[in-house]
Coordinates of all heavy atoms in Angstrom, one line a residue:
M1 N 144.6 132.0 81.6 CA 144.3 133.1 82.6 C 145.5 133.9 82.8 O 146.6 133.3 82.7 CB 144.0 132.5 84.0 CG 142.5 132.1 84.1 SD 142.0 132.2 85.8 CE 140.3 131.9 85.5
R2 N 145.4 135.1 83.0 CA 146.5 135.9 83.3 C 146.9 135.9 84.6 O 146.1 135.4 85.5 CB 146.1 137.4 82.9 CG 145.8 137.6 81.5 CD 145.6 139.1 81.0 NE 145.3 139.9 82.1 CZ 144.4 140.9 82.1 NH1 143.8 141.2 81.0 NH2 144.2 141.7 83.1
P3 N 148.0 136.4 85.0 CA 148.5 136.4 86.5 C 147.5 137.1 87.2 O 146.9 138.1 86.8 CB 149.8 137.2 86.5 CG 150.3 137.1 85.1 CD 149.1 136.9 84.1
G4 N 147.2 136.7 88.5 CA 146.2 137.2 89.3 C 144.8 136.7 89.2 O 143.8 137.1 89.7
G5 N 144.7 135.6 88.5 CA 143.5 134.8 88.2 C 142.5 135.5 87.3 O 141.3 135.1 87.2
Q6 N 142.9 136.5 86.5 CA 142.0 137.2 85.5 C 142.0 136.4 84.3 O 143.0 136.1 83.8 CB 142.5 138.6 85.4 CG 142.4 139.4 86.6 CD 140.8 139.8 87.0 OE1 140.0 139.8 86.2 NE2 140.7 139.6 88.4
P7 N 140.7 136.2 83.7 CA 140.9 135.5 82.4 C 141.3 136.4 81.3 O 141.1 137.6 81.5 CB 139.3 135.2 82.2 CG 138.6 136.2 83.1 CD 139.5 136.4 84.2
D8 N 141.9 135.9 80.4 CA 142.4 136.8 79.2 C 141.2 137.1 78.3 O 140.2 136.5 78.3 CB 143.6 136.1 78.4 CG 143.3 134.8 77.8 OD1 142.1 134.6 77.4 OD2 144.3 134.0 77.5
M9 N 141.5 138.0 77.3 CA 140.6 138.6 76.4 C 140.0 137.4 75.6 O 138.8 137.5 75.2 CB 141.2 139.7 75.5 CG 140.1 140.3 74.7 SD 138.8 140.9 75.8 CE 139.0 142.7 75.5
A10 N 140.9 136.5 75.0 CA 140.3 135.4 74.2 C 139.3 134.6 74.9 O 138.4 134.2 74.3 CB 141.6 134.6 73.6
Q11 N 139.6 134.3 76.2 CA 138.7 133.5 77.0 C 137.3 134.2 77.2 O 136.2 133.7 77.1 CB 139.2 133.1 78.3 CG 140.3 132.0 78.3 CD 140.8 131.8 79.7 OE1 141.2 132.7 80.4 NE2 140.8 130.5 80.1
L12 N 137.4 135.5 77.5 CA 136.2 136.4 77.7 C 135.4 136.3 76.2 O 134.1 136.3 76.3 CB 136.7 137.8 78.1 CG 137.0 137.9 79.5 CD1 137.4 139.3 79.8 CD2 135.9 137.5 80.4
M13 N 136.1 136.5 75.1 CA 135.4 136.5 73.9 C 134.6 135.2 73.6 O 133.5 135.2 73.2 CB 136.3 137.0 72.7 CG 136.8 138.3 72.9 SD 135.5 139.5 72.8 CE 135.1 139.4 71.0
K14 N 135.3 134.2 74.0 CA 134.8 132.8 73.7 C 133.6 132.6 74.6 O 132.5 132.0 74.2 CB 135.9 131.7 74.1 CG 135.5 130.3 73.6 CD 136.7 129.4 73.8 CE 136.4 128.0 73.2 NZ 137.5 127.1 73.4
Q15 N 133.7 132.9 75.8 CA 132.5 132.9 76.8 C 131.4 133.7 76.4 O 130.2 133.4 76.4 CB 132.9 133.3 78.2 CG 133.8 132.2 78.9 CD 134.2 132.8 80.2 OE1 134.5 133.9 80.5 NE2 134.6 131.9 81.2
A16 N 131.6 134.9 75.8 CA 130.7 135.9 75.4 C 130.0 135.3 74.1 O 128.7 135.4 73.9 CB 131.2 137.3 75.0
Q17 N 130.7 134.8 73.3 CA 130.1 134.1 72.1 C 129.3 132.9 72.5 O 128.2 132.8 71.9 CB 131.2 133.6 71.1 CG 130.7 133.1 69.9 CD 131.8 132.7 68.9 OE1 133.0 132.4 69.3 NE2 131.5 132.7 67.5
K18 N 129.6 132.2 73.3 CA 128.9 131.0 73.9 C 127.6 131.5 74.4 O 126.5 131.0 74.2 CB 129.7 130.1 74.8 CG 128.8 128.9 75.4 CD 129.7 128.2 76.3 CE 128.8 126.9 76.7 NZ 129.6 126.2 77.8
M19 N 127.7 132.5 75.3 CA 126.5 133.1 76.0 C 125.5 133.6 74.9 O 124.3 133.5 74.9 CB 126.9 134.1 76.9 CG 125.7 134.8 77.7 SD 126.4 135.7 79.0 CE 126.6 134.4 80.2
Q20 N 126.1 134.3 73.8 CA 125.2 134.8 72.7 C 124.4 133.7 72.1 O 123.3 133.9 71.8 CB 126.1 135.6 71.8 CG 125.3 136.4 70.7 CD 126.3 137.2 69.8 OE1 127.4 137.1 69.8 NE2 125.5 138.1 69.2
Q21 N 125.1 132.6 71.8 CA 124.5 131.4 71.2 C 123.4 131.0 72.2 O 122.2 130.6 71.8 CB 125.4 130.3 70.9 CG 126.5 130.8 69.8 CD 127.5 129.9 69.7 OE1 127.8 129.0 70.6 NE2 128.2 129.9 68.6
Q22 N 123.6 130.9 73.5 CA 122.6 130.4 74.5 C 121.5 131.4 74.5 O 120.3 130.9 74.6 CB 123.4 130.2 75.8 CG 124.3 129.1 75.9 CD 125.0 129.1 77.2 OE1 125.1 130.1 77.9 NE2 125.4 127.9 77.7
L23 N 121.8 132.7 74.4 CA 120.7 133.7 74.5 C 119.7 133.5 73.2 O 118.5 133.6 73.4 CB 121.2 135.0 74.5 CG 120.3 136.2 74.6 CD1 119.4 136.2 75.8 CD2 121.1 137.6 74.5
A24 N 120.4 133.3 72.1 CA 119.6 133.2 70.9 C 118.8 131.9 71.0 O 117.6 131.9 70.5 CB 120.5 133.1 69.6
A25 N 119.3 130.8 71.4 CA 118.4 129.6 71.7 C 117.3 129.8 72.5 O 116.3 129.3 72.3 CB 119.5 128.5 72.1
A26 N 117.5 130.5 73.7 CA 116.5 130.7 74.6 C 115.5 131.6 74.1 O 114.3 131.4 74.3 CB 117.2 131.4 75.9
Q27 N 115.8 132.6 73.3 CA 114.9 133.5 72.6 C 114.0 132.7 71.7 O 112.7 132.9 71.5 CB 115.5 134.7 71.9 CG 116.0 135.6 72.9 CD 116.8 136.7 72.2 OE1 117.6 136.6 71.2 NE2 116.9 138.0 72.8
E28 N 114.6 131.8 70.8 CA 113.8 130.9 70.0 C 112.9 130.0 70.7 O 111.8 129.8 70.3 CB 114.8 130.0 69.0 CG 115.5 130.8 68.0 CD 116.6 129.9 67.1 OE1 116.2 128.7 67.2 OE2 117.5 130.5 66.7
Q29 N 113.4 129.5 71.8 CA 112.5 128.6 72.7 C 111.3 129.3 73.2 O 110.1 128.8 73.1 CB 113.4 128.1 73.9 CG 112.6 127.2 74.9 CD 113.4 126.7 76.0 OE1 114.7 127.0 76.1 NE2 112.8 126.1 76.9
L30 N 111.5 130.7 73.6 CA 110.4 131.4 74.0 C 109.4 131.8 73.0 O 108.2 131.7 73.1 CB 110.8 132.8 74.6 CG 111.6 132.7 76.0 CD1 112.3 133.9 76.4 CD2 110.6 132.3 77.1
A31 N 109.9 132.0 71.8 CA 109.0 132.3 70.6 C 108.2 131.1 70.2 O 107.1 131.3 69.9 CB 109.8 132.9 69.5
A32 N 108.7 130.0 70.4 CA 108.1 128.7 70.0 C 107.0 128.2 71.1 O 106.1 127.5 71.0 CB 109.0 127.6 69.8
A33 N 107.4 128.6 72.4 CA 106.5 128.2 73.6 C 105.1 129.0 73.5 O 104.9 130.1 73.0 CB 107.2 128.5 74.8
E34 N 104.1 128.3 74.1 CA 102.8 128.9 74.3 C 102.3 128.9 75.6 O 102.6 127.9 76.4 CB 101.7 128.1 73.3 CG 100.4 128.8 73.3 CD 99.4 128.0 72.5 OE1 98.8 127.0 73.0 OE2 99.2 128.5 71.3
V35 N 101.8 130.1 76.2 CA 101.3 130.1 77.5 C 99.8 130.5 77.3 O 99.4 131.1 76.3 CB 102.0 131.1 78.3 CG1 103.5 130.7 78.6 CG2 102.0 132.5 77.7
T36 N 99.0 130.2 78.3 CA 97.6 130.5 78.4 C 97.2 131.1 79.6 O 97.8 130.9 80.7 CB 96.8 129.1 78.2 OG1 97.2 128.4 77.2 CG2 95.3 129.4 78.3
G37 N 96.4 132.2 79.5 CA 95.8 132.9 80.6 C 94.2 132.7 80.5 O 93.7 132.7 79.4
T38 N 93.7 132.8 81.7 CA 92.1 132.6 81.7 C 91.5 133.5 82.6 O 92.2 134.2 83.4 CB 91.8 131.1 82.0 OG1 92.2 130.9 83.4 CG2 92.3 130.2 81.1
A39 N 90.2 133.8 82.4 CA 89.4 134.7 83.3 C 88.0 134.1 83.4 O 87.6 133.5 82.4 CB 89.5 136.0 82.9
G40 N 87.3 134.6 84.3 CA 86.0 134.2 84.4 C 85.7 132.7 84.6 O 84.8 132.3 83.9
G41 N 86.5 132.1 85.3 CA 86.4 130.5 85.4 C 86.6 129.8 84.2 O 86.0 128.7 83.8
G42 N 87.4 130.3 83.2 CA 87.7 129.7 81.9 C 86.9 130.2 80.7 O 86.8 129.6 79.7
M43 N 85.9 131.1 81.1 CA 85.0 131.6 80.0 C 85.8 132.4 78.9 O 85.3 132.4 77.8 CB 84.0 132.5 80.6 CG 82.9 131.7 81.4 SD 81.3 132.5 81.6 CE 81.8 134.0 82.4
V44 N 86.9 133.0 79.3 CA 87.8 133.6 78.3 C 89.2 133.1 78.5 O 89.7 133.1 79.6 CB 87.7 135.2 78.5 CG1 88.6 135.9 77.6 CG2 86.3 135.8 78.4
T45 N 89.7 132.8 77.4 CA 91.1 132.2 77.4 C 92.0 133.1 76.4 O 91.5 133.4 75.3 CB 91.0 130.8 76.9 OG1 90.3 130.0 77.8 CG2 92.5 130.3 76.9
A46 N 93.2 133.5 76.8 CA 94.1 134.2 75.9 C 95.2 133.3 75.7 O 95.8 132.8 76.8 CB 94.4 135.5 76.5
R47 N 95.9 133.2 74.6 CA 97.0 132.4 74.3 C 98.1 133.3 73.7 O 97.7 134.3 72.9 CB 96.8 131.3 73.3 CG 95.9 130.3 73.7 CD 95.7 129.0 72.8 NE 94.5 128.2 73.2 CZ 94.4 127.5 74.1 NH1 95.3 127.5 75.1 NH2 93.3 126.7 74.3
M48 N 99.2 133.2 74.2 CA 100.4 134.0 73.6 C 101.7 133.2 73.7 O 101.7 132.2 74.4 CB 100.6 135.3 74.3 CG 101.0 135.3 75.8 SD 101.3 137.0 76.5 CE 99.9 138.0 76.0
T49 N 102.6 133.7 72.8 CA 103.9 133.0 72.8 C 104.6 133.4 74.1 O 104.3 134.4 74.8 CB 104.8 133.5 71.6 OG1 105.1 134.8 71.7 CG2 104.1 133.1 70.3
G50 N 105.7 132.7 74.4 CA 106.5 132.9 75.5 C 107.2 134.2 75.4 O 107.7 134.9 76.5
S51 N 107.4 134.8 74.2 CA 107.9 135.9 74.0 C 107.0 137.3 74.1 O 107.3 138.3 73.9 CB 108.7 136.1 72.7 OG 107.9 135.8 71.6
G52 N 105.6 136.8 74.3 CA 104.6 137.9 74.6 C 103.7 138.3 73.4 O 103.0 139.2 73.5
E53 N 103.8 137.6 72.3 CA 102.9 137.8 71.2 C 101.6 137.2 71.5 O 101.4 136.0 71.5 CB 103.6 137.3 69.9 CG 102.7 137.6 68.6 CD 103.3 137.1 67.4 OE1 104.5 136.6 67.4 OE2 102.6 137.0 66.5
L54 N 100.5 137.9 71.4 CA 99.1 137.3 71.6 C 98.8 136.7 70.3 O 98.8 137.3 69.1 CB 98.2 138.6 71.8 CG 96.7 138.0 72.1 CD1 96.6 137.3 73.3 CD2 95.8 139.4 72.3
T55 N 98.4 135.4 70.5 CA 98.1 134.6 69.2 C 96.6 134.2 69.1 O 96.1 134.0 68.0 CB 98.9 133.3 69.2 OG1 98.6 132.5 70.4 CG2 100.4 133.6 69.1
A56 N 95.8 134.2 70.2 CA 94.4 133.8 70.1 C 93.7 134.2 71.4 O 94.3 134.3 72.4 CB 94.4 132.3 69.9
V57 N 92.4 134.6 71.1 CA 91.5 134.8 72.3 C 90.3 133.9 72.0 O 89.8 134.1 71.0 CB 91.1 136.3 72.4 CG1 90.1 136.5 73.5 CG2 92.4 137.2 72.7
E58 N 90.0 133.1 73.1 CA 88.8 132.3 72.9 C 87.7 132.9 73.9 O 88.0 133.0 75.2 CB 89.1 130.8 73.2 CG 90.1 130.4 72.1 CD 90.7 129.1 72.6 OE1 90.3 128.4 73.6 OE2 91.7 128.6 71.9
I59 N 86.5 133.0 73.4 CA 85.4 133.4 74.3 C 84.3 132.4 74.3 O 83.7 132.0 73.2 CB 84.9 134.8 73.9 CG1 86.1 135.7 73.9 CG2 83.8 135.2 74.8 CD1 85.8 137.0 73.2
S60 N 84.0 131.9 75.5 CA 82.8 131.0 75.6 C 81.6 131.8 75.3 O 81.3 133.0 75.6 CB 82.8 130.5 77.0 OG 81.5 129.8 77.2
P61 N 80.5 131.1 74.6 CA 79.3 131.8 74.3 C 78.6 132.2 75.5 O 77.9 133.2 75.6 CB 78.5 130.7 73.7 CG 79.4 129.7 73.1 CD 80.6 129.7 74.0
Q62 N 78.7 131.6 76.7 CA 78.2 132.0 78.0 C 78.6 133.4 78.6 O 78.0 134.0 79.3 CB 78.4 130.9 79.1 CG 77.7 129.6 78.8 CD 78.5 128.7 78.0 OE1 79.6 128.9 77.6 NE2 77.9 127.6 77.7
A63 N 79.9 133.7 78.0 CA 80.4 135.0 78.4 C 79.9 136.1 77.7 O 80.0 137.3 78.1 CB 81.9 135.0 78.2
V64 N 79.1 135.9 76.6 CA 78.6 137.0 75.6 C 77.1 137.3 76.1 O 76.3 136.6 76.0 CB 78.5 136.5 74.2 CG1 78.0 137.6 73.4 CG2 79.9 136.0 73.8
D65 N 77.0 138.4 76.8 CA 75.7 139.0 77.2 C 75.6 140.5 76.5 O 76.4 141.4 77.0 CB 75.6 139.2 78.6 CG 74.4 139.8 79.2 OD1 73.5 140.2 78.3 OD2 74.2 139.8 80.3
P66 N 74.8 140.7 75.5 CA 74.7 141.9 74.8 C 74.3 143.0 75.7 O 74.7 144.2 75.4 CB 73.6 141.6 73.8 CG 73.3 140.2 73.7 CD 73.8 139.6 74.9
D67 N 73.7 142.8 76.9 CA 73.4 143.8 77.9 C 74.5 144.1 78.8 O 74.4 145.1 79.7 CB 72.0 143.5 78.6 CG 70.9 143.3 77.8 OD1 70.8 144.1 76.8 OD2 70.0 142.4 78.0
D68 N 75.6 143.4 78.8 CA 76.7 143.6 79.7 C 78.1 143.4 79.0 O 78.8 142.5 79.1 CB 76.7 142.7 80.9 CG 77.6 143.0 81.9 OD1 78.3 144.0 81.8 OD2 77.8 142.1 82.9
V69 N 78.3 144.2 78.0 CA 79.5 144.1 77.2 C 80.9 144.4 78.1 O 81.8 143.9 77.9 CB 79.5 145.0 75.9 CG1 80.9 145.0 75.1 CG2 78.4 144.6 75.1
E70 N 80.6 145.3 79.0 CA 81.8 145.8 79.8 C 82.2 144.6 80.6 O 83.6 144.4 80.7 CB 81.3 146.8 80.8 CG 81.1 148.1 80.2 CD 80.7 149.1 81.2 OE1 80.8 148.9 82.4 OE2 80.3 150.3 80.8
T71 N 81.5 143.7 81.1 CA 82.0 142.4 81.8 C 83.0 141.7 80.9 O 84.1 141.2 81.2 CB 81.1 141.7 82.4 OG1 80.3 142.4 83.4 CG2 81.5 140.3 83.1
L72 N 82.4 141.3 79.6 CA 83.2 140.7 78.7 C 84.6 141.4 78.3 O 85.6 140.6 78.3 CB 82.4 140.4 77.4 CG 83.0 139.7 76.2 CD1 83.6 138.4 76.7 CD2 82.1 139.6 74.9
Q73 N 84.5 142.7 78.2 CA 85.8 143.4 78.0 C 86.7 143.2 79.1 O 87.9 143.0 78.9 CB 85.4 144.9 77.7 CG 84.7 145.2 76.5 CD 84.1 146.6 76.4 OE1 83.9 147.3 77.5 NE2 83.8 147.0 75.2
D74 N 86.2 143.3 80.3 CA 87.1 143.1 81.5 C 87.6 141.7 81.5 O 88.8 141.5 81.9 CB 86.2 143.4 82.8 CG 85.9 145.0 82.9 OD1 86.5 145.7 82.3 OD2 85.0 145.1 83.8
L75 N 86.9 140.7 81.1 CA 87.3 139.3 81.1 C 88.5 139.0 80.1 O 89.5 138.4 80.5 CB 86.2 138.4 80.8 CG 85.1 138.1 82.0 CD1 84.0 137.2 81.5 CD2 85.8 137.5 83.3
V76 N 88.3 139.8 78.9 CA 89.3 139.6 77.9 C 90.5 140.3 78.5 O 91.8 139.7 78.3 CB 88.9 140.3 76.7 CG1 90.1 140.4 75.6 CG2 87.7 139.5 76.0
V77 N 90.5 141.4 79.0 CA 91.8 142.1 79.5 C 92.3 141.2 80.7 O 93.6 141.1 80.7 CB 91.4 143.5 80.2 CG1 92.6 144.2 80.9 CG2 91.0 144.5 79.0
A78 N 91.5 140.7 81.5 CA 92.0 139.8 82.6 C 92.7 138.6 82.1 O 93.9 138.2 82.5 CB 91.0 139.5 83.6
A79 N 92.3 138.0 81.1 CA 92.8 136.8 80.5 C 94.1 137.2 79.8 O 95.2 136.4 79.8 CB 91.9 136.1 79.5
V80 N 94.2 138.2 79.0 CA 95.5 138.6 78.4 C 96.5 139.0 79.5 O 97.6 138.6 79.4 CB 95.2 139.8 77.5 CG1 96.5 140.5 77.1 CG2 94.4 139.4 76.2
R81 N 96.1 139.7 80.6 CA 97.0 139.9 81.6 C 97.6 138.7 82.2 O 98.7 138.6 82.6 CB 96.5 140.8 82.7 CG 96.3 142.3 82.2 CD 95.6 143.1 83.4 NE 95.6 144.5 83.0 CZ 94.9 145.4 83.6 NH1 94.1 145.0 84.5 NH2 94.9 146.6 83.2
D82 N 96.7 137.7 82.4 CA 97.0 136.4 83.1 C 98.1 135.7 82.1 O 99.1 135.2 82.5 CB 95.9 135.4 83.3 CG 96.2 134.3 84.1 OD1 96.9 134.4 85.1 OD2 95.7 133.2 83.8
A83 N 97.8 135.6 80.9 CA 98.7 135.2 79.8 C 100.0 135.9 79.8 O 101.1 135.2 79.8 CB 98.1 135.0 78.5
N84 N 100.0 137.1 79.9 CA 101.2 138.0 80.1 C 102.0 137.5 81.2 O 103.4 137.5 81.2 CB 100.9 139.4 79.9 CG 102.1 140.3 79.7 OD1 103.0 139.9 79.0 ND2 102.1 141.5 80.2
R85 N 101.4 137.3 82.3 CA 102.1 137.0 83.6 C 102.8 135.6 83.4 O 103.9 135.5 83.8 CB 101.0 137.0 84.7 CG 101.7 136.5 86.1 CD 100.6 135.8 87.1 NE 99.8 134.8 86.3 CZ 100.1 133.7 86.1 NH1 101.3 133.1 86.4 NH2 99.2 132.8 85.5
A86 N 102.1 134.6 82.7 CA 102.6 133.4 82.5 C 103.8 133.5 81.6 O 104.9 132.8 81.8 CB 101.6 132.5 82.0
A87 N 103.7 134.4 80.6 CA 104.9 134.5 79.6 C 106.1 135.1 80.4 O 107.3 134.8 80.2 CB 104.4 135.5 78.6
G88 N 105.8 136.1 81.4 CA 106.9 136.7 82.2 C 107.6 135.7 83.0 O 108.8 135.6 83.1
E89 N 106.8 134.7 83.6 CA 107.4 133.7 84.4 C 108.1 132.7 83.5 O 109.3 132.4 84.0 CB 106.2 132.9 85.1 CG 105.6 133.8 86.2 CD 104.5 132.9 86.9 OE1 104.2 131.7 86.5 OE2 103.8 133.5 87.8
L90 N 107.7 132.4 82.3 CA 108.4 131.6 81.4 C 109.8 132.2 81.0 O 110.9 131.7 81.0 CB 107.6 131.2 80.3 CG 108.3 130.2 79.3 CD1 108.6 128.8 79.9 CD2 107.4 130.0 78.0
T91 N 109.7 133.5 80.7 CA 110.9 134.2 80.4 C 111.9 134.3 81.5 O 113.2 133.9 81.3 CB 110.5 135.7 80.0 OG1 109.7 135.6 78.8 CG2 111.8 136.5 79.7
Q92 N 111.5 134.4 82.7 CA 112.4 134.4 83.9 C 113.0 133.1 84.0 O 114.2 133.1 84.2 CB 111.6 134.8 85.1 CG 112.1 135.5 86.3 CD 113.0 136.6 86.0 OE1 114.1 136.6 85.2 NE2 112.8 137.7 86.5
Q93 N 112.2 131.9 83.8 CA 112.8 130.7 84.0 C 113.8 130.4 82.9 O 114.8 129.7 83.1 CB 111.7 129.7 83.9 CG 110.8 129.6 85.1 CD 109.5 128.8 84.9 OE1 109.3 128.1 83.8 NE2 108.7 128.6 85.8
T94 N 113.5 130.8 81.7 CA 114.4 130.5 80.6 C 115.6 131.4 80.5 O 116.7 130.9 80.3 CB 113.6 130.7 79.2 OG1 112.4 129.9 79.3 CG2 114.4 130.3 78.1
M95 N 115.4 132.8 80.8 CA 116.6 133.6 80.7 C 117.3 133.8 82.0 O 118.5 134.4 82.0 CB 116.0 135.0 80.3 CG 115.3 134.8 78.9 SD 116.3 134.4 77.5 CE 116.5 135.8 76.7
G96 N 116.7 133.7 83.1 CA 117.3 133.9 84.4 C 118.7 133.2 84.6 O 119.6 134.0 84.9
P97 N 118.9 131.9 84.2 CA 120.2 131.4 84.3 C 121.3 132.2 83.4 O 122.5 132.3 83.9 CB 120.1 130.0 83.8 CG 118.6 129.7 84.0 CD 117.9 130.9 83.9
L98 N 120.9 132.7 82.2 CA 121.8 133.4 81.4 C 122.2 134.7 81.9 O 123.3 135.1 81.7 CB 121.1 133.5 80.0 CG 120.9 132.2 79.2 CD1 120.2 132.6 78.0 CD2 122.2 131.6 78.9
A99 N 121.1 135.4 82.6 CA 121.4 136.6 83.3 C 122.5 136.5 84.3 O 123.5 137.3 84.5 CB 120.3 137.2 83.7
G100 N 122.4 135.4 85.1 CA 123.4 135.1 86.1 C 124.7 134.9 85.6 O 125.7 135.3 86.1
A101 N 124.7 134.1 84.5 CA 126.1 133.8 83.9 C 126.7 135.1 83.2 O 127.9 135.3 83.4 CB 126.0 132.7 82.8
A102 N 125.9 136.0 82.8 CA 126.4 137.2 82.3 C 127.1 138.1 83.3 O 128.0 138.7 83.0 CB 125.3 138.0 81.4
G103 N 126.4 138.1 84.4 CA 126.9 138.9 85.4 C 128.2 138.4 85.9 O 129.1 139.2 86.4
G104 N 128.4 137.0 85.9 CA 129.6 136.6 86.4 C 130.8 136.9 85.4 O 131.9 136.8 85.7
L105 N 130.4 137.2 84.2 CA 131.4 137.6 83.2 C 131.8 139.2 83.4 O 132.8 139.5 82.8 CB 131.0 137.5 81.7 CG 130.9 136.0 81.2 CD1 130.3 136.0 79.9 CD2 132.2 135.3 81.3
G106 N 131.1 139.8 84.2 CA 131.4 141.3 84.4 C 130.9 142.0 83.3 O 131.2 143.1 83.0
L107 N 129.8 141.5 82.5 CA 129.2 142.2 81.4 C 128.1 143.2 82.0 O 127.3 142.9 82.7 CB 128.6 141.3 80.4 CG 129.6 140.3 79.7 CD1 128.8 139.3 78.8 CD2 130.6 141.1 78.8
P108 N 128.2 144.4 81.6 CA 127.3 145.4 82.0 C 125.9 145.2 81.4 O 125.8 144.7 80.3 CB 128.0 146.8 81.5 CG 128.8 146.4 80.5 CD 129.3 145.1 80.6
G109 N 124.9 145.4 82.2 CA 123.5 145.3 81.7 C 123.0 144.0 81.9 O 121.8 143.7 81.4
F110 N 123.7 143.1 82.5 CA 123.1 141.8 82.8 C 123.1 141.5 84.3 O 123.7 141.9 85.1 CB 123.9 140.6 82.2 CG 123.8 140.6 80.7 CD1 124.8 141.3 79.9 CD2 122.8 139.9 80.1 CE1 124.7 141.2 78.6 CE2 122.7 139.9 78.9 CZ 123.6 140.5 78.0

């Protein structure tokens, strides 16, 4: 540390490099994680990665009514939104601690 309690540039670079490694690991963890969203009491299920990539939509045969396609469309949208909400929560849990640490380094944008 420099006089006045300020870390020197080498320490800051080392901390930034460590944080970058932690960020990459967290991003890999999110990409490998799977979250699920449902709608219609489980008649429609959407699955996506923790990073937000939609990987599957499952539709129960009971949800399929040729005379009411709009309800099925609404259920699919609701299930995808629910999965997206779950992915957002997972991202917050995974990345939140890193954002706090970055702010402590005085790095802009964190």
Side-chain angles (χ1 to χ4, degrees):
M1 282 209 177
R2 294 187 342 214
Q6 294 294 322
D8 64 22
M9 187 57 111
Q11 285 179 309
L12 286 175
M13 293 300 289
K14 191 174 186 178
Q15 288 175 330
Q17 184 178 24
K18 181 180 178 184
M19 182 169 278
Q20 186 176 17
Q21 291 169 346
Q22 290 173 333
L23 180 61
Q27 288 171 331
E28 286 179 26
Q29 179 183 353
L30 286 172
E34 182 178 84
V35 295
T36 302
T38 61
M43 290 197 306
V44 177
T45 301
R47 298 187 194 289
M48 65 176 45
T49 65
S51 58
E53 179 184 349
L54 185 64
T55 58
V57 174
E58 298 168 9
I59 301 171
S60 168
Q62 293 85 6
V64 181
D65 179 354
D67 296 325
D68 187 11
V69 175
E70 288 181 11
T71 297
L72 178 56
Q73 292 168 339
D74 291 343
L75 289 173
V76 170
V77 169
V80 171
R81 284 183 179 160
D82 190 42
N84 193 33
R85 177 205 47 77
E89 288 177 2
L90 183 61
T91 298
Q92 213 35 308
Q93 292 171 358
T94 304
M95 303 295 255
L98 293 174
L105 289 177
L107 298 175
F110 287 94

